[in-house]
Amino acid sequence: MRPWITNARMYAVTPEVETLWRALLEHVSTDARVPLDYVPYPAPRPLEDLWSRGDLGAVLMCGYPIALKLAPVIPIAAPIPRVEWAAHRAVYRSHLIVREDAPYRTLEDTFGGRAGWTVAHSQSGFNAFRHHLLRFRTPARRALYAEMVENLVTARAVLDSVREGRIDIGPLDAYWHLLIARHAPHLTAGIRVLDSTPLTPIPPFVAAAGAPPDMVARLRAGFTGAAARPWFPEFAEPLRLEGFAQATEASFASLLEWDREAREAGFERPA
């Protein structure tokens, strides 16, 4: 039998949290009767290389590159964050964060300062931020920030850059933010959310396009049935997780509309 891999790098916000994800995925693997090997893939190794592997069994992948067909994958199931704004759905958003002591009261107050983004194939760290800024651009004000720090790569780099004053504002995956605030609150002390983007589908676990359909179906059932299993409660609070919902490629098609609107407006990069 071909070895299939699993990985939760996108939401493994600390080593302890990665251990939790690894244990949860072992349970899903057992319930689905699909052997999966957890393969660590630490930052800043490029996620696009991981997503392109042909042995993906259940690996977290951002929805925007799924919509862009950056890698041939099959979405399986997506986390349902255990937080009020998710309203029992597999959704998330970007928090636009600033320092607690910054003078800004509105997003427009930050214009003319320094902002940053992660990578150009990120929904939370790029596409959502870019789309959110579209409404503020005018023919007379096409560049909203005096400086844009590009390719920060990770959510942690955005958080650290804001906290340490290297940028004034940056986009932070709201579920990632929820987890880091729970497990490393010292990193979010002194940070506040100035604004948030609209909700969109959250990154799902995916399999490689060549994965057998019966394997994908068993994994999907394992994920979507996880919340009812006796082992699940030990993960619900520390992972701020309500369960998992089925995900398909069509779930993420709407993200291309945000991309299209930005490109048609000549706004290929947040600026």
Side-chain angles (χ1 to χ4, degrees):
M1 181 178 293
R2 178 178 186 169
W4 298 94
I5 70 164
T6 186
N7 176 273
R9 145 94 176 264
M10 286 192 68
Y11 290 127
V13 302
T14 67
E16 295 75 20
V17 173
E18 184 160 31
T19 298
L20 288 167
W21 279 115
R22 185 169 185 164
L24 182 151
L25 289 164
E26 286 175 1
H27 283 293
V28 171
S29 169
T30 299
D31 287 353
R33 305 184 311 283
V34 178
L36 296 174
D37 292 331
Y38 193 93
V39 174
Y41 195 83
R45 294 176 68 183
L47 281 168
E48 52 269 34
D49 290 350
L50 173 66
W51 299 332
S52 296
R53 289 179 57 153
D55 58 353
L56 303 187
V59 170
L60 278 171
M61 181 174 178
C62 180
Y64 183 40
I66 292 173
L68 291 171
K69 300 186 184 302
L70 191 67
V73 298
I74 304 169
I76 301 172
I80 302 173
R82 193 164 169 250
V83 63
E84 184 177 355
W85 50 255
H88 316 296
R89 296 169 295 165
V91 295
Y92 78 145
R93 60 190 181 187
S94 294
H95 284 163
L96 305 181
I97 60 167
V98 297
R99 285 172 58 103
E100 184 69 47
D101 58 5
Y104 315 123
R105 291 295 171 264
T106 69
L107 180 59
E108 289 177 277
D109 291 340
T110 69
F111 296 166
R114 283 176 300 173
W117 49 264
T118 55
V119 289
H121 58 64
S122 170
Q123 171 62 19
S124 63
F126 177 86
N127 194 39
F129 187 33
R130 178 179 59 169
H131 184 266
H132 202 64
L133 294 175
L134 270 178
R135 74 193 74 176
F136 298 102
R137 294 177 79 237
T138 67
R141 186 176 65 181
R142 299 184 62 80
L144 302 176
Y145 291 97
E147 183 180 352
M148 184 64 69
V149 180
E150 303 184 350
N151 296 311
L152 290 170
V153 180
T154 65
R156 175 63 188 271
V158 170
L159 176 60
D160 289 346
S161 294
V162 171
R163 192 161 48 89
E164 296 166 11
R166 294 193 297 275
I167 61 176
D168 301 310
I169 185 169
L172 197 64
D173 177 316
Y175 181 46
W176 193 97
H177 191 185
L178 195 66
L179 290 171
I180 200 73
R182 163 66 175 78
H183 292 276
H186 63 285
L187 294 177
T188 55
I191 293 296
R192 60 186 167 91
V193 177
L194 184 65
D195 199 358
S196 297
T197 66
L199 295 166
T200 57
I202 197 169
F205 283 93
V206 304
D214 65 315
M215 182 187 102
V216 173
R218 292 200 305 273
L219 284 169
R220 184 171 287 130
F223 277 109
T224 58
R229 301 291 290 147
W231 50 260
F232 186 78
E234 70 177 286
F235 301 102
E237 195 286 323
L239 291 180
R240 304 302 302 271
L241 186 63
E242 188 172 305
F244 297 90
Q246 177 175 317
T248 66
E249 189 172 326
S251 306
F252 306 97
S254 62
L255 306 183
L256 294 180
E257 283 300 301
W258 286 13
D259 177 73
R260 180 188 59 77
E261 289 172 18
R263 291 180 184 278
E264 287 182 354
F267 201 40
E268 295 205 9
R269 292 283 194 272

